[in-house]
Amino acid sequence: MKDLRILVTGGTIDKVHDTRTEGLSFSPDGATHIPEMLRIGRCHFPAVQIVLLKDSLYFDDADRKAIADAVANAEEEALVITHGTGTMGDTARFLADTLSGAAAEKTVVLTGAMRPFSLYTSDGEFNLGGAITAAQILPAGVWGVMNGRVFAAEALKKDVEQGRFDT
């Protein structure tokens, strides 16, 4: 098995209900739900690293560069990036175009959720499990795993009308 690192960048998978605004936001303490999701799935081996906790709709090139740097600096050859679904495809294509050298030889899989894990009816656990498995068996490159499907970076796109990722 490949060693695996999960790079957390935010997105819906990590949001919680904010009782003050009645909206969704990140936990005020800067925590991520990923360790709890792994515990529930009895998945004990991935390292978890928070890179960002940000809504991907507000990502800019500096944020994507921080993600690329985290990929390049990771010792592991298999990486899962939790990411907001709104711009997941943009980041996947950015990484595919900019990773070079040893970083380009890694397997990088982006995933996320349409509904927050904290709401207990999330697709996040399913997507995270699929991404962890995919990162261990796919060849080097940048991929996305959502809704039980694997997408190459160039084909990763959200179908807003259907509420899923499709080709």
Side-chain angles (χ1 to χ4, degrees):
M1 287 291 137
K2 294 180 185 178
D3 289 333
L4 187 129
R5 176 171 297 267
I6 299 173
L7 300 174
V8 176
T9 69
T12 298
I13 197 168
D14 254 325
K15 289 191 175 178
V16 296
H17 177 248
D18 183 333
T19 56
R20 186 179 55 78
T21 66
E22 290 301 327
L24 296 174
S25 62
F26 297 105
S27 179
D29 66 0
T32 174
H33 295 296
I34 303 306
E36 176 64 5
M37 294 169 77
L38 294 171
R39 186 194 67 74
I40 290 168
R42 296 185 175 98
C43 183
H44 63 278
F45 65 91
V48 178
Q49 175 185 342
I50 298 175
V51 178
L52 304 164
L53 275 178
K54 190 172 182 178
D55 188 312
S56 74
L57 294 176
Y58 303 112
F59 276 14
D60 57 24
D61 286 343
D63 297 320
R64 289 189 175 88
K65 182 170 181 343
I67 295 167
D69 289 346
V71 169
N73 292 329
E75 294 179 14
E76 297 82 359
E77 62 182 88
L79 299 156
V80 170
I81 300 172
T82 61
H83 196 288
T85 60
T87 65
M88 186 184 296
D90 296 337
T91 299
R93 289 180 283 282
F94 177 89
L95 294 173
D97 291 343
T98 61
L99 292 177
S100 61
E105 299 302 316
K106 296 180 180 186
T107 304
V108 179
V109 178
L110 286 80
T111 195
M114 300 292 204
R115 290 185 45 86
F117 168 74
S118 64
L119 297 182
Y120 303 108
T121 56
S122 176
D123 55 329
E125 291 170 284
F126 179 77
N127 293 334
L128 182 62
I132 289 169
T133 301
Q136 294 178 79
I137 62 173
L138 287 171
V142 180
W143 308 87
V145 169
M146 288 293 293
N147 314 119
R149 299 186 75 183
V150 176
F151 303 91
E154 62 272 6
L156 184 61
K157 62 182 180 188
K158 181 177 179 179
D159 183 331
V160 179
E161 289 183 23
Q162 296 293 321
R164 64 179 186 234
F165 281 70
D166 257 326
T167 56

